[in-house]
Amino acid sequence: MIRRSLVRALMTSVALSAGALLAGCNSDEIGSLATNAKANQPVPPKLIAAMVEKNMDLQSPILIRLFKQEAELEVWKQDRTGRFALLKTYPICRWSGDLGPKVREGDRQAPEGFYAITPAQMNPTSAYYLSFNTGYPNAYDRSLGHTGSELMVHGDCSSRGCYAMTDEQIAEIYALGRESFFGGQKSFQFQAYPFHMTALNMARHRNSPHMAFWKMIKEGNDHFEVTKQEPKVDFCEKKYVFDAVKAPDAKRDPVFEASSKCPAYVVPQEVADAVREKQAADDAEFAKLVSKGTPMAQLNTGIDGGMHRVFAARVPNGNTGLSEAGPTPSVFNPPERAPGTIPLDHVNPPRGSVTSPDDPLTASLSSSSTRVAAAPSGESEGFFSSLSRAFAGSASADATTATTPPPPTPAKPKVADVKPRLEAAKPAKETKQASAKPAAKPAATETAAATPAPAAAPAASQPATSLVAGAQPIVSSNSFDSRFSAAK
């Protein structure tokens, strides 16, 4: 089993390196993934412990959700019941643009919508420490003529239409994605939202020109919320469609094209009923909030993006810009230090009025500027070297190949109304990866301001695979037959 795991890891290494080449990176700077210290940092022990506590396997599938207004990125991971559960929430160091979807190249907008991240979109030699390409534009974006390229989630806390984390944060997120690919996940879903899709947030932004788009992607959010499964995404009539399958009497699967008429399809009845119930409750709450005169959010007055307050509190003249705390208390308590290195020499907070905490704690940071984080000591040999040692005699519990159980009986489907449901996005054709280090780093235009989050745990020096138990089978995230059994 260790031999099979090693072979699978090496094959994934080849796929990642080949993907980077196809994405347009310089071949002399790609190098071997097996010897890339940054890309091979093990998953930190704290996250391993969290997986054990939450009944997760190291190499089970992941899913990422991101919220601009709250400036938070969530990593969800499939547990041994086959359902996704929240593993960790990361404060976003910088994002650019306004609330709303990206429309054209150069508008500095960070994208919103549903995207699929494949190994080819992971860039171990990014100019911004590490990164993965969001896959924008997807088929829905292209059907509307939207343009743009190289929209990333990366490190370095600097953004021009991207989502920027600290180097330490992106190292963790990258490692979680890498392990999911080693476990057999072909792509992980990336869901980007303007804010948590609550009735209150929808009421506050009811005057936005993007409301129709937000209602469309909210449906995908609702599918995930009620099933805790990755929603299947398709597209037709220039809109998203979620969890569509063929009708019981159909002879073949429906064929979706972003700009074409929607084919006949059905949605599993239990999912359709649960989504309908949630939407009815949300609509009732929305109407109640509007009738009570819930104030509408202020219009953007030139602020370029946002920054979680945990970072804005540590940047000279820092402010959160368009980012603000949600209706519930922040999950981040004031730590002794920020969750990662903030490169103060080029991080620019969002323009606009200061909304950071009363004491931004900038005095102690004004004397020196830190640079991007280096790979933790003791990790230079990389993940594949660790696997080689494991192959030589050090067995690892979760390195075994999981056996997928027979799929349970699928939920009885119900013909869905083929009414305008917002379009679905096939995995977009990968866009060009970030190029090798530029002469000068672009100035960041986003702000960060939120109660300090706990510092990212340092990477462990021993192979992460030896720390987690993982003999339990993993349910395939894309197997429709097994997706909804846990929700019954």
Side-chain angles (χ1 to χ4, degrees), residues 128-417:
Y128 305 100
Y129 197 69
L130 291 167
S131 68
F132 66 81
N133 193 317
T134 64
Y136 176 92
N138 62 20
Y140 164 77
D141 302 316
R142 293 194 300 272
S143 73
L144 297 178
H146 294 174
T147 58
S149 60
E150 299 185 20
L151 280 302
M152 309 281 179
V153 176
H154 58 65
D156 201 38
C157 194
S158 174
S159 173
R160 285 183 174 178
C162 297
Y163 294 106
M165 317 299 291
T166 63
D167 293 350
E168 293 85 348
Q169 289 176 314
I170 194 62
E172 282 191 21
I173 297 166
Y174 192 98
L176 290 170
R178 177 196 69 215
E179 294 301 325
S180 77
F181 292 137
F182 287 171
Q185 187 174 22
K186 294 181 180 179
S187 66
F188 64 83
Q189 193 170 88
F190 176 72
Q191 305 175 5
Y193 299 101
F195 38 68
H196 283 278
M197 309 304 281
T198 63
L200 177 58
N201 279 332
M202 298 296 278
R204 292 184 66 242
H205 293 276
R206 60 187 181 274
N207 63 333
S208 171
H210 306 301
M211 184 52 65
F213 172 75
W214 290 342
K215 287 182 178 179
M216 181 175 66
I217 62 174
K218 180 183 181 297
E219 185 171 345
N221 170 81
D222 293 344
H223 277 242
F224 178 74
E225 291 285 352
V226 302
T227 66
K228 291 301 184 288
Q229 298 288 336
E230 177 183 301
K232 177 177 174 288
V233 180
D234 289 297
F235 44 90
C236 57
E237 298 179 10
K238 300 182 180 180
K239 62 190 179 187
Y240 280 87
V241 175
F242 299 99
D243 289 325
V245 297
K246 66 180 179 180
D249 57 347
K251 295 182 179 180
R252 63 174 185 171
D253 293 330
V255 178
F256 291 88
E257 294 184 7
S259 299
S260 301
K261 182 179 178 181
C262 291
Y265 64 87
V266 300
V267 174
Q269 182 173 351
E270 62 181 301
V271 177
D273 290 346
V275 170
R276 190 178 302 110
E277 181 179 351
K278 181 183 185 304
Q279 291 177 342
D282 290 345
D283 291 345
E285 180 65 15
F286 176 89
K288 180 180 177 181
L289 291 167
V290 172
S291 66
K292 289 172 57 178
T294 297
M296 290 184 286
Q298 293 182 349
L299 297 177
N300 184 358
T301 56
I303 299 174
D304 180 20
M307 175 180 256
H308 196 283
R309 59 185 177 180
V310 71
F311 296 113
R314 287 162 170 75
V315 175
N317 301 316
N319 69 90
T320 55
L322 295 175
S323 295
E324 58 187 54
T328 58
S330 173
V331 298
F332 301 104
N333 295 318
E336 294 182 359
R337 59 191 179 92
T341 303
I342 307 174
L344 298 178
D345 58 334
H346 64 265
V347 172
N348 295 328
R351 300 185 298 273
S353 59
V354 174
T355 58
S356 61
D358 294 335
D359 298 315
L361 307 177
T362 58
S364 63
L365 301 178
S366 59
S367 59
S368 63
S369 61
T370 52
R371 203 54 212 103
V372 294
S377 60
E379 312 302 341
S380 59
E381 62 180 356
F383 178 76
F384 291 100
S385 296
S386 299
L387 277 182
S388 297
R389 288 204 320 275
F391 176 71
S394 177
S396 165
D398 72 309
T400 60
T401 303
T403 303
T404 305
T409 304
K412 182 180 179 180
K414 174 183 177 182
V415 177
D417 299 330

Side-chain angles (χ1 to χ4, degrees), residues 13-91:
S13 171
V14 172
L16 287 166
S17 299
L21 285 168
L22 292 174
C25 297
N26 295 328
S27 59
D28 59 345
E29 297 186 15
I30 292 301
S32 171
L33 178 63
T35 59
N36 186 307
K38 291 186 296 184
N40 288 307
Q41 296 175 61
V43 176
K46 278 189 176 181
L47 277 184
I48 296 290
M51 292 178 204
V52 172
E53 181 181 352
K54 298 181 180 183
N55 196 31
M56 299 169 176
D57 291 311
L58 175 64
Q59 295 184 342
S60 67
I62 68 167
L63 179 148
I64 290 178
R65 301 203 305 171
L66 182 148
F67 308 93
K68 287 181 177 177
Q69 180 174 278
E70 294 83 0
E72 293 178 354
L73 182 151
E74 298 176 344
V75 176
W76 292 67
K77 196 165 180 64
Q78 192 180 76
D79 62 23
R80 289 171 185 159
T81 70
R83 291 165 63 88
F84 280 87
L86 179 62
L87 175 62
K88 184 172 180 178
T89 301
Y90 297 85

